[in-house]
Amino acid sequence: MKVKFKTDELKGILEVVKKGMGKGVILPITEFIEFTFLDGALFVTSTDLTSWVTYKKEFESDLEDEEEVSVIIHGDKLTQLINKTTVPEVEIEILDDCVKIKGNGEYKVPTLQEEFPDYTFEPSGKSYDINIAELKKAIDENKTSVSKDMIMTCLSGYYLSNKVITTDSIKMTINDIDVLGEDELLLPKEVADLLDILDREVGVLEIGDGNLLIDTDNITIFGPILDGIEEYPDLENIISVDFPAEVELNIKNLTSVLERLDVFSEPYDVNVVELIFEPNFVT
């Protein structure tokens, strides 16, 4: 079987799915990606065996209806080769034990003769339309408050409900972005990091039994839900506190000041910053 790709299009697909690959040190299969051609569509999938990423698109091939062809290729080798290809089109021929790639020359890349790992998703019936751009913005703004240690595992993720909340028990970030309404879940950091690959404005989030599916017309992300939501601290009392005073600060200027002060900090310093507020001035 032979298929042709526009080189830039294939580069874009590989750029997406490589984010879902594992390191392959213990489980070599996670270094590979699977190409599947079926019913006039292409599915390219990667996994670290916890989460899965699938890029999907309409694709013309010479297959008969319901005929399926799959091939498993080493992700890094294929990505490096395609990234170094300068011709506008690439032809891939699928052979028994390798794929033959024609671009700036002809190359043979071995394929893996195994079954690619799959996941099982049984929707619970809970489905939510999500604004992906808003959710990605909230994840980016909240990530500095995600707990880095695992003393309380639930704090290592993102609390999604009618707000997006993160806290490491010292600082917290609260975003008034409604994702799930009155429902709630904990999004693991590993799944949250994958949201960057989504390039659509809207999508659907479906809930399963301990897992979730985020779906757009071209990319699907499957991953676990973080356990421990019943242990997540109730921050409503803190959220509703009326503070006695407020001040407007230029964030860029304040960050610049803190970066200069950081020059004088040592690794074992407490690194407390004292702010003295005066009328129209902060020291």
Side-chain angles (χ1 to χ4, degrees), residues 18-118:
K18 77 176 187 181
K19 300 290 179 62
M21 291 169 52
K23 304 302 182 184
V25 177
I26 299 175
L27 299 165
I29 190 71
T30 63
E31 292 183 306
F32 289 77
I33 56 178
E34 180 185 49
F35 283 73
T36 299
F37 301 88
L38 174 66
D39 290 337
L42 166 68
F43 304 88
V44 187
T45 302
S46 62
T47 181
D48 60 5
L49 297 183
T50 299
S51 303
W52 275 254
V53 170
T54 298
Y55 191 102
K56 53 198 177 181
K57 70 183 298 292
E58 293 182 357
F59 197 88
E60 291 185 7
S61 67
D62 54 6
L63 294 176
E64 300 292 334
D65 288 347
E66 298 185 5
E67 187 179 357
E68 178 178 341
V69 171
S70 294
V71 61
I72 302 172
I73 311 173
H74 194 280
D76 281 342
K77 285 184 171 61
L78 180 61
T79 300
Q80 290 180 49
L81 177 59
I82 299 303
N83 283 342
K84 296 177 188 299
T85 298
T86 59
V87 295
E89 194 172 72
V90 174
E91 179 186 270
I92 297 180
E93 182 178 3
I94 300 174
L95 303 174
D96 289 339
D97 59 351
C98 68
V99 292
K100 186 187 294 184
I101 301 173
K102 292 182 179 179
N104 297 97
E106 186 173 298
Y107 310 87
K108 287 185 177 180
V109 180
T111 55
L112 193 64
Q113 306 304 310
E114 293 184 21
E115 185 175 345
F116 198 75
D118 200 359

Side-chain angles (χ1 to χ4, degrees), residues 187-203:
L187 187 69
K189 180 181 181 301
E190 294 75 18
V191 178
D193 289 344
L194 290 175
L195 296 181
D196 278 342
I197 66 177
L198 301 176
D199 58 3
R200 299 295 193 261
E201 287 294 314
V202 295

Side-chain angles (χ1 to χ4, degrees), residues 91-184:
E91 179 186 270
I92 297 180
E93 182 178 3
I94 300 174
L95 303 174
D96 289 339
D97 59 351
C98 68
V99 292
K100 186 187 294 184
I101 301 173
K102 292 182 179 179
N104 297 97
E106 186 173 298
Y107 310 87
K108 287 185 177 180
V109 180
T111 55
L112 193 64
Q113 306 304 310
E114 293 184 21
E115 185 175 345
F116 198 75
D118 200 359
Y119 60 85
T120 300
F121 179 72
E122 296 182 4
S124 65
K126 291 189 175 182
S127 178
Y128 311 86
D129 294 326
I130 56 173
N131 185 313
I132 292 171
E134 282 190 352
L135 180 56
K136 287 165 67 173
K137 182 174 181 290
I139 294 297
D140 186 59
E141 292 172 346
N142 281 55
K143 63 186 179 184
T144 55
S145 299
V146 174
S147 178
K148 302 296 191 296
D149 61 52
M150 299 300 287
I151 296 174
M152 285 188 67
T153 307
C154 62
L155 300 186
S156 66
Y158 296 76
Y159 175 90
L160 305 185
S161 184
N162 56 4
K163 294 180 176 64
V164 178
I165 299 174
T166 51
T167 180
D168 59 5
S169 75
I170 297 175
K171 57 184 182 295
M172 68 185 70
T173 306
I174 301 160
N175 244 299
D176 285 321
I177 292 176
D178 190 344
V179 183
L180 306 179
E182 296 304 311
D183 293 326
E184 59 183 6

